[in-house]
Amino acid sequence: MTKALLRCCTAGLLMVPSVFAQDIDPFPKPITQNGEPIHVNVAEFASIPGAGGEAARMMLLVNEPGTRRLFVNDMRGPLYTVSYDGKPVAKYVDINAPNWGVGVQSQGRERGFQSFAFHPQFAQAGTRGYGRFYTYTDSSKMQPKPDFTPAGGMNTHDTVLFEWTARNPAAATYDGGPPREIVRFRQPFANHNGGLSSFNPLAMPGSADYGLLYFTLADGGSGGDPFNAAQNLGSPFGKMLRIDPLEPSVRLKPDTTASANGKYGIPASNPFVGKAGALGEIYLYGVRNPQRFGWDPKDGRLFVAEIGQNIVEEVSVATPGANLGWHDWEASFRFIDRTHIELNGRRADPKVTYPFVEFDHHDPLFGNNVAVTGVIVYRGTAIAPLANKVIFGDNPSGEVFFVDADRLPNGGQDAIRRVLFNSDAKTLLQLIKAKNDGAGRADLRFGTGPENRVFLLNKQDGTIREIVR
């Protein structure tokens, strides 16, 4: 065979995927045709202060049962307390205040104070976790030296997990000293940073999962995971991680091993502990931008909402050691490039954990930007239409969806149904526009409170809304 012919044949082989690579709609049936939406009521619950003429960039709302307060953060640095009745709202701490030395990097839409979590022993005097809570934030301060670095990129900022210790957890404002740095990640690009941090709220004292902190780290950004970080078990990027965050002198778990930096523990039960070339901190891998996760109160299943590239969004059941496929797969489809997936051979790799539900960017409900958010499994009874449902949504449009938690679908979007609000069947974005008619997107996040209460956050009007009867 001549070199010219070989080049021709090689080029032909390289072009074969493009025959099947499609940037068309993988799920042509619109979500609006899946059945009538359910209707629930929503009420304005609390208002969070803005700054500089802009609404609060609310990212997360959690309940701290020991002090009977809700906490909600603004990506620019403030952490607020909210009483169970929505009044009053007060600033607990601003992690971006100069005296703390954190240096929150909140430029753009994706960077900032990403998440926070209270140790399950936060309000229990005499325990090792007393007064301790954790913030997970992007930082413009790139010292000290990071614990983990990417394989390339622009080194735009760091993402850092900090531990704070309050002297009196019930105090109206934080009364402790500067935070302790636990782990620092150098970010290759400005997008796809940290995600959610959370302790398993179902874990009981003495159980294997009690006191272990889960947190997600995206693939580092750009597009298409250029360094193949998500499939590399030697890299923390594109992973869910699980650690014992307490320092060695007070560590809760006796069976943990010390991290490389000596500042946290690695649980012996983590799936890759002792595996050559793998980080023991990894709980699962193969994720692109796993912004949100949550547990099913009924059976403890862990659900992860993962933002796709440009075509498909996904929600999956996460198990220890699972590979969710990125960047070999975008949801149920072979990933080819930023605008192409392979429609043939769907869900073909038995070693990959595929989503139980997914939706595509071409659906008429969505605009130019699409990003899944969630995940709440509602096992309450007060909001009857949502009972036993997995609740998730689309971040920019504010669309809220559900599927049956006890009969999970096997991928696709045929099982998805919408949730609309109040007697006039409004979307969340329509409710926001009634207060801020200039809002072009919702930036939806969910929050949970006592007695199975469900809250809706956004970054456009400073209003926390509660789904009610």
Side-chain angles (χ1 to χ4, degrees), residues 40-44 421-422 428 431 456 465-469:
V40 296
N41 292 318
V42 66
E44 294 189 0
F421 302 109
N422 299 337
L428 175 62
L431 295 175
L456 305 175
R465 294 171 173 84
E466 181 178 2
I467 298 178
V468 295
R469 296 172 187 265

Side-chain angles (χ1 to χ4, degrees), residues 128 132 134 163 165 180-182 244-253 256 259 262-265:
R128 296 177 180 181
R132 300 177 193 265
Y134 302 85
E163 178 185 75
T165 304
R180 178 180 73 93
E181 183 171 311
I182 297 176
D244 181 344
L246 297 178
E247 56 193 315
S249 62
V250 295
R251 193 157 296 148
L252 199 62
K253 299 292 186 181
T256 60
S259 60
K263 297 178 180 178
Y264 60 90

Side-chain angles (χ1 to χ4, degrees), residues 447-468:
T448 57
E451 299 176 344
N452 298 300
R453 296 167 72 178
V454 179
F455 299 93
L456 305 175
L457 312 182
N458 76 89
K459 300 177 185 178
Q460 305 299 326
D461 69 359
T463 302
I464 300 173
R465 294 171 173 84
E466 181 178 2
I467 298 178
V468 295

Side-chain angles (χ1 to χ4, degrees), residues 18-19 31 124 200 222 238 250-251 272 304 315 322 341 380 393 408 421:
S18 68
V19 174
I31 292 173
Q124 299 172 22
N200 181 350
S222 184
V250 295
R251 193 157 296 148
F272 297 104
V304 178
V315 186
I341 57 172
L408 294 180
F421 302 109

Side-chain angles (χ1 to χ4, degrees), residues 438-452:
R441 51 184 286 158
D443 291 295
L444 165 68
R445 295 292 189 278
F446 295 95
T448 57
E451 299 176 344
N452 298 300

Side-chain angles (χ1 to χ4, degrees), residues 22-28 288-289 305-316 324 326 329-335 337-343 346-347 354-363 366 370-372 394 411-413 416:
Q22 302 287 339
D23 57 359
I24 61 172
D25 187 348
F27 304 118
R288 179 178 180 269
N289 196 359
E306 184 188 357
I307 298 172
Q309 180 65 65
N310 290 320
I311 302 177
V312 189
E313 305 296 302
E314 61 184 282
V315 186
S316 305
L324 272 60
W326 178 252
W329 296 83
E330 182 176 350
S332 293
F333 303 93
R334 288 277 184 189
F335 175 76
D337 60 34
R338 299 186 191 202
T339 57
H340 296 83
I341 57 172
E342 167 63 79
L343 291 183
R346 182 174 177 264
R347 303 169 79 95
Y354 293 104
F356 64 86
V357 71
E358 55 202 324
F359 56 88
D360 73 77
H361 291 209
H362 293 80
D363 196 277
F366 308 130
V370 185
V372 68
D394 175 57
Q413 64 182 39
I416 295 175

